Amino acid sequence: MLRIRDASVTFPATDGQDVHALDHVSLDIAPDSIVVAVGASGCGKSTLLNAIAGFLPLSEGTITLDGKEIVAPGGDRGVVFQKDTLLPWANVLDNVALGLKYRGVPRGERHEQSRRLLELVGLADFAEKPPYELSGGMRQRVGIARALATDPKILLMDEPFGALDSLTRETMQQLLASVWAKTSKQILFITHSIEEALTLGTTVVVMSPRPGRIVARFDADFVREFAESGDIGPIQSHPRFIELRQEIRSLIHLPEGARTGTLQ
Amino acid sequence: MTLAANSGTSSSSSKAQRAPSPKPRRSASTSTLGISLATLASLIALWFLAAHFEWASPLFLPSPVEVLSQFSAVWADGYANGTLLDHTLASLGRIAAALGVGIFLGIPLGLLMGLNRWVKGIFSVPIDLYWGLPPLAYLPLLIIWLGIGETSKIVLLSLSTFAPICFAAQAGVRSVPIERINAALSLGASRLQLFTSIILPSALPEIMTGLKIAIGAGLSTLVAAELIAAQSGLGYMIMSAANFLATDVVFVGLIVIAVLAFAFTSGMRWLEHRLIPWKGKL
């Protein structure tokens, strides 16, 4: 269980006006759930993820994972970045095995585990390739496999499909849903696409900028049956999907200042 | 080049282990090779013509045949207390020693300067100061301090190879993308693992570039130093020949230096291909 309590991140600005990237955010992420944070750019969703990953210190508040406070990056939180961060000098297999190597897992064993993960993301045939010979979507799949390799308690995904074309993006969403159905990891997923949020999230939190806050939270449990059925395609015509999309859209496009007092 | 790499990626039929772009690029490089060889041939032909019709006095411009015969004479009998091989080896030995010093001191110190504010603060000032000086300006000082022997020359050369290597290693550390470091940390890397598995390989392309610059700087400093103060080496041979207006021997020396420089450049290119085939990708 990831527990975020009153988390704030303030950046000092040059003009003296401090930027409240994150303002007293509280959120729980239960095991076996995908929480998707959606919002316009600057709403603090990436800041939130970076704080959970340990890349960024909180100015106020606490984040705990299974009761342990987060102070630095660590192997218990797998991160998938928007820009792929694979090592160009290592082949795909060694990239996936990197976290296991850091743990001192022997070569044969870590390669075996990594091959299994590559199978899970459908890249078993590309194990020996250097990452730069793969397409953008394939590289992100390697990134997901790499993050899963150390068996983290939570997977943090920072707009991982944001740079992909829409067709590849759909394939990746399908892949993530089926990976999730198989591994039942808790996931925090950041996106600026309302459709993506509702396709993937069992919980969707809507964030708003200046200061970065959570303005609404929706349970979208209907997502589970689609993920478990192995086909998330029809989800977009689910009545709840259409209803929530409208609601979230109106929340995000609300004029600034009119947001205070919206439901929590 | 990027285009070519991408098109290779999308059709990733597993044909060869690494075959993203060789086709268009190889044809491009062979076509330049042909042109370059033709240029070289024309230059030599022009030299033949110029010497044959004596456009310049043979004293200033010896014929290629003369230079060639002088080459074998210097090779076999020697010139200025040594055969051509002796002089070449003397020069190569100096530059190898200097590169060794530059690499073994420059890379670790540069890496440390990239990693630590204090190390950078302490060392950047003296290095910046001396690197701005032309090496030949402080050669006399080195000779006063260390004598006219090998030591002063190797120190001089080491100083000129050290700085570019050190700067490059430092720049290499600073060029590591922060996302790459964060990714490694979130995979549980320790500080040592972060350094060996991420920072060092990421800095390698910059270090190789620094090495190329160091070889260039070393070579020009070497010949200049030998022209001024030496009893052996290619620079010394050229200077001695020039004193006797033996222009053909001067040509022999120049050609050997040109060939050496070319060999160094090609060797570095080969090394880059072997060590960092991924340079500029991803």
Side-chain angles (χ1 to χ4, degrees), chain B:
Chain B
M1 228 163 82
T2 331
L3 265 176
N6 282 342
S7 69
T9 310
S10 55
S11 65
S12 37
S13 57
S14 46
K15 219 165 61 185
Q17 200 67 299
R18 52 177 90 165
S21 61
K23 246 191 180 164
R25 219 196 304 171
R26 190 183 303 156
S27 70
S29 75
T30 41
S31 65
T32 13
L33 184 68
I35 297 169
S36 306
L37 285 177
T39 312
L40 191 65
S42 325
L43 280 174
I44 293 173
L46 194 67
W47 182 12
F48 262 105
L49 286 176
H52 181 76
F53 294 109
E54 293 205 4
W55 292 342
S57 144
L59 186 64
F60 295 136
L61 186 71
S63 80
V65 183
E66 233 172 292
V67 171
L68 204 64
S69 75
Q70 198 55 251
F71 183 91
S72 60
V74 178
W75 181 265
D77 310 331
Y79 191 91
N81 3 312
T83 64
L84 186 55
L85 192 63
D86 293 336
H87 289 304
T88 310
L89 287 179
S91 293
L92 280 179
R94 284 171 194 143
I95 200 154
L99 276 175
V101 174
I103 288 168
F104 284 108
L105 293 181
I107 292 180
L109 188 65
L111 292 173
L112 279 174
M113 286 170 75
L115 292 170
N116 186 292
R117 190 170 64 92
W118 277 92
V119 183
K120 182 183 159 71
I122 290 168
F123 286 97
S124 61
V125 170
I127 297 175
D128 276 336
L129 274 179
Y130 95 76
W131 176 240
L133 293 171
L136 293 186
Y138 55 80
L139 176 59
L141 185 65
L142 288 177
I143 291 173
I144 294 172
W145 284 350
L146 303 166
I148 192 98
E150 284 302 297
T151 321
S152 57
K153 278 185 283 292
I154 287 172
V155 168
L156 178 83
L157 286 176
S158 301
L159 284 171
S160 65
T161 56
F162 167 82
I165 292 174
C166 181
F167 287 143
Q170 191 185 332
V173 172
R174 292 178 169 264
S175 72
V176 186
I178 183 72
E179 294 94 348
R180 202 177 268 175
I181 291 175
N182 279 342
L185 287 175
S186 71
L187 288 169
S190 67
R191 289 183 73 88
L192 182 68
Q193 285 168 334
L194 186 68
F195 178 75
T196 54
S197 74
I198 306 290
I199 294 177
L200 200 56
S202 296
L204 205 53
E206 293 273 3
I207 293 176
M208 294 299 284
T209 307
L211 211 53
K212 281 194 272 188
I213 298 171
I215 289 173
L219 212 57
S220 53
T221 312
L222 168 81
V223 175
E226 286 176 346
L227 287 174
I228 293 174
Q231 276 79 49
S232 63
L234 291 166
Y236 169 69
M237 189 186 90
I238 290 174
M239 202 60 204
S240 316
N243 285 339
F244 294 100
L245 283 179
T247 322
D248 41 8
V249 178
V250 172
F251 267 74
V252 170
L254 288 177
I255 289 169
V256 172
I257 293 171
V259 168
L260 284 182
F262 182 76
F264 271 124
T265 314
S266 318
M268 284 304 296
R269 217 171 280 160
W270 176 83
L271 208 59
E272 271 194 333
H273 258 356
R274 290 302 308 271
L275 286 178
I276 41 172
W278 44 270
K279 185 185 177 183
K281 294 172 179 164
L282 219 72

Side-chain angles (χ1 to χ4, degrees), chain A residues 18 21 42-43 52 67-69 88 94 103 112 117 119 131 140 168 199 222 242-243 256:
Chain A
D18 288 354
C43 72
I52 299 171
K68 219 179 94 206
E69 188 168 352
D94 282 324
R103 286 192 185 177
E112 197 190 304
L117 282 165
E119 239 159 75
Q140 279 307 44
T168 312
T199 305
F222 63 98
I242 297 166
E243 198 182 300
E256 243 168 279

Side-chain angles (χ1 to χ4, degrees), chain A residues 178-195:
Chain A
S178 65
V179 165
W180 176 69
K182 277 179 212 156
T183 61
S184 52
K185 281 260 176 270
Q186 50 185 326
I187 297 177
L188 174 70
F189 192 103
I190 304 290
T191 182
H192 54 249
S193 154
I194 298 170
E195 282 77 14

Side-chain angles (χ1 to χ4, degrees), chain A residues 121-202:
Chain A
V121 298
L123 288 176
D125 295 340
F126 295 87
E128 320 296 333
K129 295 245 177 216
Y132 50 82
E133 287 185 17
L134 269 52
S135 68
M138 287 169 152
R139 290 209 283 251
Q140 279 307 44
R141 283 194 262 169
V142 179
I144 293 171
R146 181 179 69 174
L148 286 171
T150 50
D151 196 23
K153 289 176 182 156
I154 184 171
L155 206 54
L156 306 169
M157 308 184 77
D158 190 3
E159 296 192 39
F161 312 146
L164 304 176
D165 65 87
S166 61
L167 290 177
T168 312
R169 197 173 186 164
E170 272 172 38
T171 319
M172 295 296 291
Q173 290 167 352
Q174 175 72 59
L175 177 100
L176 182 66
S178 65
V179 165
W180 176 69
K182 277 179 212 156
T183 61
S184 52
K185 281 260 176 270
Q186 50 185 326
I187 297 177
L188 174 70
F189 192 103
I190 304 290
T191 182
H192 54 249
S193 154
I194 298 170
E195 282 77 14
E196 185 164 78
L198 286 167
T199 305
L200 294 171
T202 56

Side-chain angles (χ1 to χ4, degrees), chain A residues 223-251:
Chain A
V223 165
R224 286 178 194 273
E225 56 187 277
F226 288 96
E228 277 151 19
S229 77
D231 184 12
I232 56 166
I235 200 170
Q236 303 224 348
S237 44
H238 192 281
R240 191 77 180 118
F241 182 100
I242 297 166
E243 198 182 300
L244 284 177
R245 178 171 59 192
Q246 200 46 47
E247 205 165 330
I248 293 172
R249 181 169 293 153
S250 58
L251 267 174

